[in-house]
Amino acid sequence: VLEMLRCCFTVPSFATFCALMIGLVRRVGPGTVTGMLAGAGLSGCWPHDRAHSFFSRARWCPDQLGLLLARAIARYLIPAGAPIQLAVDDTLFRRCGKKVAHARWAHDGAARGPTRIGYGNTWVTVAIVVRPPVVGRPVALPVAAWCWHGRTGLSRTLLALLLVGRLAREFPDRQVHVVADAAYHNAYLRDLPENVTWTWRLAKNAVLFGPTPARTGRRGRPRKKGERLG
């Protein structure tokens, strides 16, 4: 897997990437940068700045890396020609401090207590759902994530739609089925690519209408909704 991703990095960055990935697998404790160095047995050999600078100053593109991972997953873990199922959700990473970029108060689904909010970075993530025979249950493998900038940037639904569109263009000959919760829907979903379907859970007070009827040719504003279904 690491060898397939070599083209995303320079030679020094690829060596650091491989070491951090090995440390991530072998680590004991949280998956921090320092924990990955310790897991790889390099905490006493490498300066910690070499690992931290990989995420802040090294020349590599997470979007390119995610597309290569998506191709590998579709090739080795999904039957040829089968539809690709994507799961969309957002995750809050709790961070505080004046130097944390784009940190803000946001919904935290993993929070305990009645107030499910937290302060940090919210990442909209798209994962490919696969069913490896050795596991026996569905597994979601993240391949793309963009940071939500709050009201100053794009909405979470639009970010997810753009990420899904990039993945759909990588697999033009396959159907792409997206599943999400009730927060991920808006008017932009009316213009999905032809090979993409989008399914989300309806709100308990949702009202359904039929397709917009054809124009009658009469004077007045045309109807924007069909018959009420329930």
Side-chain angles (χ1 to χ4, degrees):
V1 174
L2 295 178
E3 191 63 31
M4 288 188 296
L5 307 177
R6 179 186 290 272
C7 61
C8 295
F9 307 97
T10 62
V11 174
S13 296
F14 182 70
T16 305
F17 173 71
C18 291
L20 293 177
M21 286 299 299
I22 293 172
L24 183 65
V25 175
R26 299 178 55 188
R27 78 186 191 279
V28 178
T32 60
V33 176
T34 305
M36 287 187 282
L37 276 179
L42 297 172
S43 58
C45 306
W46 282 10
H48 286 196
D49 181 65
R50 177 174 179 177
H52 286 280
S53 63
F54 173 80
F55 295 102
S56 59
R57 294 190 296 273
R59 296 180 59 184
W60 63 284
C61 178
D63 292 336
Q64 180 189 10
L65 185 68
L67 290 178
L68 286 178
L69 283 174
R71 295 174 193 169
I73 293 170
R75 179 178 180 182
Y76 294 106
L77 298 180
I78 301 177
I84 297 176
Q85 183 177 351
L86 302 180
V88 174
D89 203 356
D90 54 86
T91 301
L92 177 70
F93 286 88
R94 291 179 176 268
R95 297 289 186 270
C96 60
K98 296 181 179 180
K99 296 185 179 181
V100 179
H102 309 300
R104 54 183 36 83
W105 290 99
H107 176 264
D108 184 8
R112 298 180 180 179
T115 305
R116 293 183 175 272
I117 60 173
Y119 188 82
N121 297 122
T122 299
W123 293 87
V124 177
T125 306
V126 178
I128 299 180
V129 180
V130 297
R131 293 168 174 80
V134 296
V135 178
R137 60 179 178 82
V139 178
L141 304 177
V143 293
W146 281 352
C147 185
W148 177 58
H149 296 175
R151 295 182 179 180
T152 59
L154 302 178
S155 67
R156 283 173 286 190
T157 301
L158 189 52
L159 288 176
L161 182 59
L162 293 175
L163 290 174
V164 169
R166 295 175 71 251
L167 291 172
R169 287 191 294 271
E170 290 293 316
F171 307 101
D173 55 340
R174 293 202 186 192
Q175 284 292 317
V176 178
H177 300 311
V178 182
V179 292
D181 60 22
Y184 284 89
H185 70 278
N186 57 23
Y188 292 107
L189 299 183
R190 299 174 182 174
D191 301 320
L192 289 173
E194 294 184 357
N195 63 328
V196 176
T197 66
W198 196 289
T199 306
W200 69 91
R201 180 171 56 86
L202 291 176
K204 61 182 180 180
N205 60 344
V207 179
L208 301 181
F209 294 87
T212 304
R215 302 189 65 167
T216 62
R218 299 176 182 177
R219 298 180 61 183
R221 189 183 69 177
R223 294 183 60 178
K224 295 184 178 181
K225 301 178 181 178
E227 298 296 331
R228 178 166 175 164
L229 303 179

